Amino acid sequence: MPEYPSFLEIAEKALNTTGKPMSASEIWTLAKEMKWKTDSVGQTPWATISAQIYVSIKTNPHTPFRRVSKRPTRFALTPWEEPTERDAPGLN
């Protein structure tokens, strides 16, 4: 049986492909359009993507994801984050 990417891998690939924040349903729509396969497709794969991203954000300190808006909920990749004042050199 071939090994398919996880929903998190698909989400990261979609966000890298577009270079902009996306909702879970937009991520899934792009994955279908690009014919990216996954080993698990239930009735609501976009809900699974969203849930897995939330779990990753909550439990993994090195997650590549972050939530950038609440309504509608959109996700982005952490490397896109703008530096904050506390990240600026000499302010620590």
Side-chain angles (χ1 to χ4, degrees):
M1 182 172 167
E3 194 169 315
Y4 294 110
S6 69
F7 281 123
L8 287 178
E9 291 167 332
I10 286 173
E12 189 171 3
K13 187 174 182 178
L15 291 167
N16 272 318
T17 298
T18 64
K20 64 178 185 165
M22 300 174 74
S23 69
S25 60
E26 291 169 332
I27 291 169
W28 182 247
T29 299
L30 179 63
K32 285 190 331 185
E33 288 171 1
M34 302 295 282
K35 296 183 178 15
W36 296 335
K37 303 283 184 202
T38 184
D39 59 354
S40 174
V41 180
Q43 298 237 339
T44 56
W46 55 90
T48 303
I49 289 170
S50 181
Q52 288 187 8
I53 291 173
Y54 273 117
V55 168
S56 178
I57 291 169
K58 185 173 180 159
T59 63
N60 180 358
H62 304 292
T63 186
F65 303 103
R66 65 188 177 103
R67 189 179 78 179
V68 294
S69 68
K70 194 170 190 175
R71 293 183 199 256
T73 300
R74 293 195 187 283
F75 302 102
L77 295 175
T78 303
W80 299 349
E81 190 171 13
E82 292 296 319
T84 62
E85 286 184 6
R86 66 180 174 83
D87 295 329
L91 294 179
N92 294 335

